[in-house]
């Protein structure tokens, strides 16, 4: 009798087992589009890529791009502001599912987090007071004060290449400009597009200019391979879904349209 009961029980479970196997085979159970809302953090202190407008709304290039990717990939995304210094630790710990905040892909970061495909290759520049006559060399910047956002490629670059300079580090992307404007720093280094569109075109930046050479990942390893969306290494399915969405945004021309809207490219 016991054997008959077991046999009947196994027969009744077969459809469920078959359904489970089908879901795994098709990827439905692993597909983030069918899971909970995707939590995406950004450091909204870095216009025109990400910032908060007067109404409290997140705006900027990365915000629009992430919204387009989520729409194309049919992901239910919640994009919100977070402190820069806690973003990568929060991603590793599972507090966030993904990050979009002009994150450059580097070997060091690849050790702890995963990345989507690269969606841009930024140029980096120094900015200083007009007519300062600064020599952008290790010797020329000895004793000068360089303001940077902490934990960024720019921080890593000046730390490695300008050991005789005084480096001031700040948690937000906007703070170095305040230091520069107030005369408490001689230079700042950031994305060229960010310097131009958020600072030089403003009243605060009218007395400043780009200085030194244009720099990319080809010039220094600290600048990385390009900019991508960061994702928890354990969430392979989400990496795939975001890459599908990014590919669709690129193929549709929306990525080019965003570049034209924000940077005239």
């Amino acid at each position: 009798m016991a054997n008959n009961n077991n046999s009947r029980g196994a027969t009744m479970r077969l459809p469920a087992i078959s359904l489970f196997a089908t879901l795994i085979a098709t990827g439905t159970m692993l597909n983030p589009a069918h899971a909970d809302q995707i939590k995406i953090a950004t450091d909204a202190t870095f216009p025109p890529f990400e910032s908060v407008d007067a109404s409290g709304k997140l705006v900027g290039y990365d915000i629009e791009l992430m919204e387009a990717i989520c729409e194309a990939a049919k992901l239910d995304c919640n994009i919100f502001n977070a402190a820069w210094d806690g973003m990568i630790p929060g991603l590793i710990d599972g507090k966030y599912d993904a990050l979009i905040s002009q994150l450059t892909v580097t070997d060091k970061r690849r050790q702890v987090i995963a990345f989507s495909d690269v969606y841009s290759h930024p140029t980096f520049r120094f900015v200083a007071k007009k007519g300062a006559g600064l020599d952008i060399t290790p010797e020329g910047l000895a004793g000068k004060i360089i303001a940077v956002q902490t934990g960024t490629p720019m921080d890593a670059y000046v730390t490695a290449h300008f050991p005789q300079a005084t480096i001031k580090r700040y948690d937000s992307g906007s703070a170095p400009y305040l230091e520069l404007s107030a005369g408490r720093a001689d230079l700042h280094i950031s994305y060229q597009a960010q310097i131009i569109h958020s600072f030089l075109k403003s009243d605060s930046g009218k007395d400043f200019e780009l200085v030194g050479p244009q720099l990319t990942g080809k010039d220094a390893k600290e600048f990385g391979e390009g900019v991508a969306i960061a994702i928890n290494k354990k969430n392979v399915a989400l990496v795939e879904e975001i890459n599908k969405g990014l590919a669709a945004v690129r193929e549709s021309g929306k990525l080019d349209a965003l570049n034209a809207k924000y940077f005239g490219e």
Side-chain angles (χ1 to χ4, degrees):
M1 182 63 102
N3 287 338
N4 288 339
N5 284 342
N6 286 340
S7 177
R8 186 169 182 267
T11 302
M12 290 180 69
R13 285 197 298 270
L14 278 175
I17 293 171
S18 178
L19 175 61
F20 183 79
T22 300
L23 290 174
I24 290 179
T26 59
T28 302
M29 292 189 71
L30 303 178
N31 190 334
H34 298 272
D36 294 334
Q37 190 175 62
I38 308 301
K39 302 182 295 294
I40 304 172
T42 188
D43 169 29
T45 67
F46 206 68
F49 297 101
E50 41 265 334
S51 61
V52 180
D53 69 11
S55 69
K57 180 184 176 182
L58 284 174
V59 294
Y61 176 90
D62 279 343
I63 307 304
E64 289 196 47
L65 174 60
M66 195 72 244
E67 289 173 344
I69 290 171
C70 290
E71 181 180 359
K74 295 180 173 57
L75 296 173
D76 180 15
C77 298
N78 177 25
I79 308 169
F80 52 88
N81 192 14
W84 169 256
D85 60 356
M87 284 175 56
I88 291 179
L91 182 65
I92 295 169
D93 292 342
K95 182 178 180 181
Y96 313 129
D97 298 306
L99 312 174
I100 186 163
S101 205
Q102 285 297 293
L103 282 150
T104 51
V105 181
T106 65
D107 289 338
K108 184 177 180 180
R109 285 175 173 171
R110 279 192 188 279
Q111 293 175 13
V112 293
I113 57 178
F115 285 98
S116 71
D117 294 334
V118 168
Y119 63 83
S120 72
H121 294 86
T123 297
F124 301 85
R125 292 290 295 276
F126 282 98
V127 57
K129 196 85 169 180
K130 287 180 178 177
L134 296 171
D135 177 21
I136 310 300
T137 63
E139 298 75 23
L141 296 188
K144 300 299 182 183
I145 298 173
I146 306 173
V148 294
Q149 184 178 16
T150 189
T152 60
M154 298 79 78
D155 182 1
Y157 175 73
V158 296
T159 299
H161 297 275
F162 299 91
Q164 298 179 66
T166 298
I167 302 168
K168 286 189 174 182
R169 298 175 176 87
Y170 302 89
D171 291 335
S172 77
S174 56
Y177 293 105
L178 298 176
E179 296 299 284
L180 196 62
S181 299
R184 293 188 292 266
D186 298 300
L187 305 97
H188 171 49
I189 181 171
S190 188
Y191 293 61
Q192 177 174 280
Q194 199 250 351
I195 294 171
I196 293 171
H197 295 279
S198 73
F199 184 60
L200 296 184
K201 290 186 176 182
S202 70
D203 289 340
S204 300
K206 65 181 185 299
D207 296 325
F208 295 84
E209 63 183 353
L210 294 168
V211 295
Q214 292 184 326
L215 300 165
T216 69
K218 294 179 180 180
D219 301 299
K221 65 179 182 179
E222 292 84 5
F223 293 131
E225 305 164 25
V227 171
I229 297 159
I231 303 153
N232 188 293
K233 288 192 81 166
K234 297 177 183 178
N235 203 339
V236 177
L238 184 57
V239 175
E240 294 174 354
E241 291 299 314
I242 285 178
N243 277 337
K244 288 178 184 176
L246 176 57
V249 169
R250 182 178 278 118
E251 290 166 9
S252 71
K254 288 183 180 179
L255 185 58
D256 288 339
L258 281 175
N259 288 330
K261 175 181 176 179
Y262 282 93
F263 314 117
E265 297 175 359

XYZ file of all heavy atoms in Angstrom, residues 115-173:
448
model
N 29.578 44.381 -14.868
C 29.223 45.545 -15.676
C 28.425 45.136 -16.903
O 28.601 44.036 -17.441
C 30.483 46.285 -16.138
C 31.159 47.087 -15.068
C 32.249 46.569 -14.380
C 30.713 48.360 -14.738
C 32.893 47.308 -13.398
C 31.332 49.100 -13.758
C 32.417 48.572 -13.081
N 27.595 46.064 -17.340
C 26.933 45.917 -18.628
C 27.949 46.194 -19.730
O 29.127 46.476 -19.456
C 25.785 46.928 -18.734
O 26.319 48.252 -18.865
N 27.491 46.140 -20.963
C 28.332 46.603 -22.058
C 28.601 48.097 -21.875
O 27.785 48.827 -21.295
C 27.627 46.369 -23.394
C 27.453 44.885 -23.703
O 28.254 44.082 -23.210
O 26.495 44.548 -24.433
N 29.721 48.549 -22.368
C 30.088 49.967 -22.280
C 29.150 50.798 -23.157
O 28.815 50.399 -24.272
C 31.553 50.165 -22.725
C 31.882 51.640 -22.925
C 32.493 49.542 -21.692
N 28.705 51.955 -22.643
C 27.841 52.813 -23.451
C 28.458 54.169 -23.788
O 27.885 54.928 -24.560
C 26.462 52.993 -22.810
C 26.422 53.678 -21.460
C 26.426 55.066 -21.343
C 26.327 52.933 -20.290
C 26.352 55.689 -20.111
C 26.248 53.548 -19.051
C 26.257 54.918 -18.965
O 26.184 55.532 -17.732
N 29.632 54.480 -23.230
C 30.328 55.702 -23.640
C 31.801 55.623 -23.267
O 32.188 54.853 -22.374
C 29.696 56.953 -23.011
O 29.975 57.022 -21.630
N 32.604 56.422 -23.958
C 34.039 56.494 -23.694
C 34.395 57.957 -23.398
O 34.636 58.741 -24.317
C 34.845 55.973 -24.887
C 34.662 54.516 -25.143
N 33.629 54.029 -25.924
C 35.357 53.432 -24.706
C 33.708 52.707 -25.968
N 34.735 52.322 -25.236
N 34.417 58.337 -22.133
C 34.603 59.748 -21.786
C 36.026 60.250 -21.956
O 36.992 59.478 -21.970
C 34.198 59.794 -20.308
C 34.505 58.423 -19.811
C 34.200 57.496 -20.951
N 36.110 61.554 -22.092
C 37.387 62.264 -22.096
C 37.489 63.017 -20.774
O 36.508 63.592 -20.303
C 37.446 63.271 -23.259
O 37.363 62.543 -24.493
C 38.739 64.076 -23.228
N 38.661 63.014 -20.181
C 38.890 63.670 -18.894
C 39.802 64.890 -19.077
O 40.722 64.861 -19.896
C 39.518 62.694 -17.903
C 38.682 61.463 -17.650
C 38.761 60.358 -18.494
C 37.806 61.406 -16.584
C 37.987 59.228 -18.276
C 37.022 60.276 -16.353
C 37.118 59.186 -17.203
N 39.521 65.949 -18.292
C 40.332 67.167 -18.382
C 40.472 67.813 -17.010
O 39.664 67.597 -16.103
C 39.664 68.200 -19.306
C 39.606 67.834 -20.763
C 40.936 67.852 -21.477
N 41.554 69.151 -21.577
C 41.280 70.063 -22.520
N 40.337 69.813 -23.428
N 41.936 71.209 -22.562
N 41.494 68.641 -16.910
C 41.636 69.527 -15.755
C 40.927 70.835 -16.062
O 40.811 71.243 -17.225
C 43.112 69.819 -15.477
C 43.859 68.711 -14.783
C 44.635 67.814 -15.504
C 43.799 68.574 -13.395
C 45.333 66.807 -14.868
C 44.490 67.569 -12.750
C 45.265 66.670 -13.488
N 40.474 71.510 -15.018
C 39.898 72.847 -15.145
C 40.552 73.722 -14.087
O 40.790 73.286 -12.957
C 38.356 72.824 -14.991
C 37.937 72.211 -13.660
C 37.777 74.216 -15.151
N 40.874 74.970 -14.475
C 41.546 75.890 -13.557
C 41.163 77.330 -13.909
O 40.482 77.578 -14.915
C 43.063 75.712 -13.645
N 41.591 78.249 -13.092
C 41.333 79.668 -13.316
C 41.960 80.097 -14.642
O 43.063 79.674 -14.995
C 41.954 80.484 -12.173
C 41.458 81.908 -12.057
C 40.194 81.980 -11.253
C 39.848 83.418 -10.897
N 38.608 83.516 -10.104
N 41.265 80.948 -15.381
C 41.810 81.454 -16.638
C 43.113 82.207 -16.382
O 43.218 82.982 -15.434
C 40.802 82.399 -17.303
C 39.594 81.701 -17.908
C 38.644 82.704 -18.551
C 37.459 82.007 -19.207
N 36.490 82.970 -19.782
N 44.086 81.925 -17.226
C 45.367 82.629 -17.110
C 46.264 82.152 -16.001
O 47.281 82.792 -15.709
N 45.920 81.037 -15.381
C 46.731 80.548 -14.259
C 48.105 80.067 -14.725
O 49.065 80.035 -13.939
C 46.009 79.410 -13.545
N 48.205 79.701 -15.989
C 49.494 79.299 -16.538
C 50.075 78.047 -15.908
O 51.298 77.948 -15.747
N 49.225 77.114 -15.577
C 49.686 75.902 -14.904
C 50.316 74.918 -15.878
O 49.829 74.730 -16.992
C 48.516 75.228 -14.185
C 47.889 76.032 -13.036
C 46.613 75.354 -12.562
C 48.875 76.186 -11.895
N 51.379 74.308 -15.447
C 52.055 73.275 -16.223
C 51.559 71.924 -15.723
O 51.850 71.521 -14.595
C 53.576 73.403 -16.019
C 54.353 72.320 -16.742
O 53.802 71.718 -17.694
O 55.513 72.061 -16.345
N 50.775 71.234 -16.547
C 50.152 69.981 -16.117
C 51.156 68.833 -16.231
O 51.072 67.959 -17.111
C 48.866 69.689 -16.908
C 47.954 70.903 -16.902
C 48.135 68.478 -16.310
C 47.503 71.362 -15.523
N 52.107 68.864 -15.330
C 53.100 67.801 -15.189
C 53.270 67.545 -13.694
O 52.884 68.385 -12.867
C 54.465 68.207 -15.778
O 54.973 69.333 -15.030
C 54.348 68.574 -17.249
N 53.841 66.408 -13.332
C 54.056 66.154 -11.900
C 54.868 67.262 -11.231
O 54.565 67.661 -10.096
C 54.817 64.825 -11.897
C 54.349 64.135 -13.141
C 54.177 65.236 -14.153
N 55.856 67.779 -11.939
C 56.682 68.842 -11.366
C 55.920 70.164 -11.349
O 55.996 70.935 -10.387
C 57.974 69.011 -12.173
C 58.881 67.792 -12.187
C 58.388 66.671 -13.088
O 57.612 66.960 -14.028
O 58.761 65.510 -12.845
N 55.169 70.413 -12.412
C 54.452 71.675 -12.521
C 53.338 71.827 -11.509
O 52.974 72.952 -11.135
N 52.768 70.721 -11.048
C 51.672 70.784 -10.080
C 52.129 70.483 -8.652
O 51.301 70.336 -7.749
C 50.554 69.813 -10.470
C 49.848 70.113 -11.802
C 48.648 69.207 -11.979
C 49.424 71.582 -11.896
N 53.439 70.414 -8.441
C 53.963 70.213 -7.087
C 53.506 71.366 -6.192
O 53.675 72.534 -6.530
C 55.487 70.143 -7.115
N 52.894 71.031 -5.081
C 52.419 72.046 -4.139
C 51.060 72.627 -4.475
O 50.496 73.381 -3.672
N 50.509 72.304 -5.628
C 49.188 72.798 -6.017
C 48.100 71.932 -5.370
O 48.312 70.763 -5.056
C 49.026 72.780 -7.535
C 50.041 73.656 -8.281
C 49.915 75.119 -7.883
C 50.896 75.984 -8.665
N 50.833 77.413 -8.243
N 46.920 72.510 -5.218
C 45.799 71.803 -4.608
C 44.843 71.333 -5.708
O 44.323 72.149 -6.469
C 45.045 72.698 -3.611
C 45.978 73.113 -2.467
C 43.816 71.966 -3.060
C 45.361 74.130 -1.528
N 44.654 70.024 -5.775
C 43.753 69.432 -6.760
C 42.527 68.895 -6.027
O 42.649 68.068 -5.119
C 44.429 68.292 -7.538
C 45.743 68.762 -8.174
C 43.483 67.739 -8.607
C 46.539 67.640 -8.827
N 41.349 69.358 -6.421
C 40.101 68.891 -5.821
C 39.495 67.789 -6.679
O 39.396 67.946 -7.901
C 39.121 70.050 -5.670
N 39.089 66.680 -6.055
C 38.478 65.566 -6.786
C 37.356 64.950 -5.964
O 37.283 65.124 -4.745
C 39.505 64.455 -7.116
C 40.561 64.943 -8.081
C 40.144 63.909 -5.839
N 36.494 64.216 -6.646
C 35.508 63.410 -5.938
C 36.181 62.112 -5.529
O 36.835 61.451 -6.332
C 34.286 63.112 -6.804
C 33.193 62.354 -6.050
C 31.950 62.105 -6.888
O 31.987 62.222 -8.109
N 30.858 61.762 -6.240
N 36.039 61.760 -4.271
C 36.737 60.595 -3.737
C 36.267 59.293 -4.388
O 35.106 59.148 -4.769
C 36.536 60.507 -2.207
O 37.398 59.489 -1.687
C 35.094 60.191 -1.837
N 37.202 58.356 -4.525
C 36.861 57.032 -5.032
C 36.550 56.964 -6.508
O 35.977 55.983 -6.976
N 36.931 57.990 -7.255
C 36.665 58.040 -8.690
C 37.940 57.749 -9.487
O 39.041 57.769 -8.925
C 36.139 59.432 -9.093
O 37.143 60.411 -8.751
C 34.837 59.755 -8.357
N 37.816 57.532 -10.788
C 39.020 57.380 -11.612
C 39.915 58.613 -11.553
O 41.142 58.497 -11.617
C 38.453 57.178 -13.022
C 37.079 56.670 -12.816
C 36.583 57.319 -11.570
N 39.282 59.794 -11.413
C 40.060 61.023 -11.341
C 40.905 61.056 -10.073
O 42.055 61.488 -10.074
C 39.125 62.237 -11.394
C 38.328 62.352 -12.680
S 36.883 61.246 -12.769
C 35.696 62.134 -11.741
N 40.329 60.583 -8.976
C 41.050 60.480 -7.711
C 42.242 59.540 -7.879
O 43.382 59.853 -7.497
C 40.090 59.970 -6.633
C 40.721 59.860 -5.254
O 41.906 60.193 -5.092
O 39.998 59.434 -4.323
N 41.993 58.374 -8.457
C 43.053 57.384 -8.655
C 44.160 57.937 -9.552
O 45.354 57.709 -9.302
C 42.472 56.113 -9.256
N 43.762 58.679 -10.586
C 44.743 59.215 -11.539
C 45.670 60.241 -10.892
O 46.899 60.133 -11.010
C 44.011 59.836 -12.725
C 44.943 60.528 -13.707
C 45.770 59.788 -14.548
C 45.000 61.919 -13.777
C 46.635 60.411 -15.444
C 45.855 62.549 -14.666
C 46.670 61.796 -15.494
O 47.531 62.419 -16.366
N 45.111 61.234 -10.224
C 45.971 62.268 -9.641
C 46.801 61.712 -8.493
O 47.942 62.135 -8.278
C 45.168 63.510 -9.179
C 44.520 64.193 -10.377
C 44.119 63.152 -8.131
N 46.255 60.741 -7.767
C 47.014 60.121 -6.676
C 48.244 59.403 -7.220
O 49.326 59.479 -6.643
C 46.125 59.122 -5.906
O 45.015 59.825 -5.341
C 46.905 58.440 -4.790
N 48.072 58.727 -8.360
C 49.172 57.957 -8.946
C 50.194 58.828 -9.672
O 51.398 58.528 -9.649
C 48.606 56.915 -9.911
N 49.734 59.910 -10.303
C 50.616 60.647 -11.211
C 51.079 62.019 -10.708
O 51.981 62.617 -11.305
C 49.913 60.817 -12.560
C 49.635 59.518 -13.254
N 50.557 58.874 -14.043
C 48.532 58.720 -13.240
C 50.043 57.745 -14.505
N 48.816 57.629 -14.039
N 50.472 62.508 -9.626
C 50.870 63.819 -9.104
C 51.138 63.725 -7.604
O 50.446 64.329 -6.783
C 49.783 64.861 -9.406
C 49.537 65.049 -10.875
C 48.577 64.294 -11.539
C 50.291 65.957 -11.614
C 48.372 64.445 -12.902
C 50.100 66.111 -12.973
C 49.140 65.355 -13.628
N 52.176 62.970 -7.240
C 52.451 62.695 -5.825
C 52.860 63.923 -5.018
O 52.744 63.915 -3.791
C 53.596 61.674 -5.889
C 54.264 61.935 -7.202
C 53.155 62.317 -8.131
N 53.328 64.974 -5.682
C 53.767 66.167 -4.959
C 52.666 67.223 -4.821
O 52.862 68.256 -4.195
C 54.979 66.793 -5.665
C 56.199 65.864 -5.725
C 57.363 66.507 -6.453
O 57.935 67.492 -5.984
N 57.709 65.974 -7.620
N 51.516 66.936 -5.396
C 50.378 67.847 -5.259
C 49.606 67.513 -3.984
O 49.693 66.400 -3.467
C 49.463 67.732 -6.467
N 48.847 68.475 -3.500
C 47.946 68.237 -2.374
C 46.578 67.896 -2.951
O 45.999 68.686 -3.697
C 47.829 69.489 -1.479
O 49.121 69.785 -0.935
C 46.844 69.258 -0.351
N 46.074 66.731 -2.606
C 44.805 66.276 -3.171
C 43.710 66.385 -2.111
O 43.793 65.767 -1.046
C 44.919 64.831 -3.681
C 46.027 64.742 -4.737
C 43.588 64.363 -4.265
C 46.425 63.329 -5.099
N 42.693 67.159 -2.420
C 41.522 67.283 -1.544
C 40.400 66.442 -2.123
O 40.047 66.592 -3.294
C 41.081 68.746 -1.432
C 41.985 69.613 -0.576
C 41.345 70.984 -0.358
C 42.141 71.826 0.620
N 41.473 73.139 0.868
N 39.832 65.588 -1.288
C 38.814 64.652 -1.748
C 37.455 64.980 -1.136
O 37.374 65.298 0.055
C 39.224 63.226 -1.405
C 40.518 62.804 -2.092
C 40.976 61.418 -1.637
N 42.161 60.993 -2.386
C 43.404 61.288 -2.055
N 43.628 62.033 -0.971
N 44.416 60.888 -2.799
N 36.409 64.862 -1.965
C 35.056 65.214 -1.531
C 34.085 64.097 -1.905
O 34.271 63.414 -2.904
C 34.629 66.536 -2.175
C 35.580 67.666 -1.831
C 36.694 67.919 -2.628
C 35.386 68.448 -0.709
C 37.587 68.933 -2.309
C 36.266 69.466 -0.373
C 37.366 69.694 -1.180
O 38.250 70.700 -0.856
N 33.036 63.961 -1.100
C 32.072 62.882 -1.311
C 31.187 63.091 -2.539
O 30.774 62.136 -3.182
C 31.175 62.721 -0.077
C 31.944 62.166 1.121
O 32.961 61.485 0.897
O 31.519 62.417 2.256
N 30.877 64.338 -2.866
C 29.962 64.612 -3.973
C 30.713 65.097 -5.210
O 31.849 65.584 -5.116
C 28.915 65.645 -3.572
O 29.466 66.943 -3.565
N 30.039 65.007 -6.353
C 30.646 65.467 -7.601
C 30.617 66.963 -7.760
O 31.357 67.524 -8.580
